[in-house]
Amino acid sequence: MPKASSSAAQAINEAARSVDLQSFTKALVAHLVQLNVEAVYPHNPKDRQGFANVVRILDGEVKKLLKEKVSSDAVLAVAKIANELRASNTGSYEGFEAALRSLQLTFTASPNPFYDDIAFPISKSQAQSFAKTIPDFQRALATTAAKAFVAARR
């Protein structure tokens, strides 16, 4: 795939290449907290739809990056996240749940994996402070994904 030549495209290349599952999940949680989400419930139908919405946003971003002809590494980074978070053959979101639980002791709290909720014990100010530290590309992606998740709860 040819690389885009503009400086804006180069910046997107660098930022997209640097995003991974853990950094995206942490950014998503920060943005969810800013939207007044205090916990997710992986077996709740509305939250499962929210997870599906997030994956749809990531898939859309992959298509957008392909159209913009950014590097294949950048496209692959976002595609990997979407694939990790995608629903399994049973329709559940084990990857999403595992990604959220991996933030245990930092951005999430779920003392027992059998509990049906994953709480976000961070304050809005902590979430906002963290969001300021991440690259613009990742912040925009997490913001859009968080809004899509919240829309499923309405």
Side-chain angles (χ1 to χ4, degrees):
M1 175 179 303
K3 291 187 179 184
S5 59
S6 74
S7 61
Q10 288 174 348
I12 290 171
N13 273 328
E14 290 302 315
R17 264 192 233 119
S18 70
V19 69
D20 62 17
L21 181 61
Q22 184 173 12
S23 67
F24 173 78
T25 305
K26 197 169 183 178
L28 177 65
V29 169
H31 285 85
L32 288 171
V33 168
Q34 291 179 65
L35 294 172
N36 301 314
V37 176
E38 296 177 354
V40 296
Y41 305 89
H43 300 108
N44 177 295
K46 288 185 177 184
D47 281 6
R48 289 163 60 98
Q49 181 58 52
F51 294 153
N53 288 356
V54 170
V55 171
R56 199 170 303 116
I57 294 298
L58 291 166
D59 287 342
E61 187 64 28
V62 167
K63 289 177 184 174
K64 181 177 148 191
L65 292 171
L66 286 169
K67 283 182 185 174
E68 293 175 2
K69 299 192 187 307
V70 299
S71 74
S72 57
D73 289 346
V75 176
L76 185 59
V78 178
K80 280 183 180 179
I81 296 167
N83 288 335
E84 287 288 329
L85 300 179
R86 197 173 308 286
S88 69
N89 291 341
T90 64
S92 58
Y93 287 88
E94 295 97 346
F96 227 119
E97 193 170 344
L100 289 167
R101 290 188 194 281
S102 76
L103 298 178
Q104 187 84 355
L105 305 177
T106 57
F107 269 48
T108 66
S110 184
N112 185 327
F114 295 104
Y115 288 2
D116 200 30
D117 68 320
I118 301 172
F120 305 146
I122 63 168
S123 67
K124 277 189 178 181
S125 61
Q126 287 172 305
Q128 290 168 341
S129 292
F130 173 75
K132 289 178 185 175
T133 67
I134 58 179
D136 291 342
F137 172 82
Q138 189 168 348
R139 184 174 33 255
L141 187 58
T143 298
T144 303
K147 288 177 182 177
F149 180 89
V150 170
R153 285 188 165 181
R154 293 188 187 124

